[in-house]
Amino acid sequence: MIVLNCPLVPYNNLSCVVNRARHIAGFIKIIGAVRNVEDERSAKAAHERVIVNNIETYHQVSEVVNVISEIATKTNLLVLNAAIEAARAGAAGRGGGSVVAEEVKKLADPTQSATSRIKKMLD
């Protein structure tokens, strides 16, 4: 504790008033520094919460992309199987079955491409 050689009341001595004002200003600076440290800790905690949230979101997006990728892969296998079955059926199988297979493939290819791009962004 700082001891001043000035009476508490009244402030008749100008040097005592100035001296007390300087000490009070010093205390205010200390209080400000403590607040800055507390603000810094609070900002750091908020930043860490954002990072944790982003990591959780990343994992969720990654899981969804994996599911979509698996669907696209399985769809391509179905297209391949449909094409094989259409070839086995001969001329009769080249009609509706092969058209459906081709249309499904048109849907699966962009899906697979999009999931690959998303995976690259996440890595």
Side-chain angles (χ1 to χ4, degrees), residues 38-91:
E38 289 173 1
D39 290 346
E40 193 66 34
R41 286 182 184 150
S42 176
K44 182 180 178 186
H47 181 69
E48 288 172 354
R49 285 191 302 272
V50 167
I51 289 174
V52 168
N53 188 25
N54 285 348
I55 290 171
E56 289 172 1
T57 301
Y58 166 84
H59 288 299
Q60 291 170 355
V61 169
S62 182
E63 287 174 13
V64 171
V65 167
N66 286 336
V67 169
I68 294 170
S69 180
E70 286 177 27
I71 291 169
T73 300
K74 288 177 182 178
T75 303
N76 278 330
L77 288 174
L78 288 172
V79 167
L80 179 61
N81 286 338
I84 291 169
E85 289 302 319
R88 282 187 189 161

Side-chain angles (χ1 to χ4, degrees), residues 2-3 10 21 30 53 67 69-70 91 97-98 108 110 112 114:
I2 298 173
V3 178
I30 291 170
N53 188 25
V67 169
S69 180
E70 286 177 27
S98 62
Q112 207 161 29

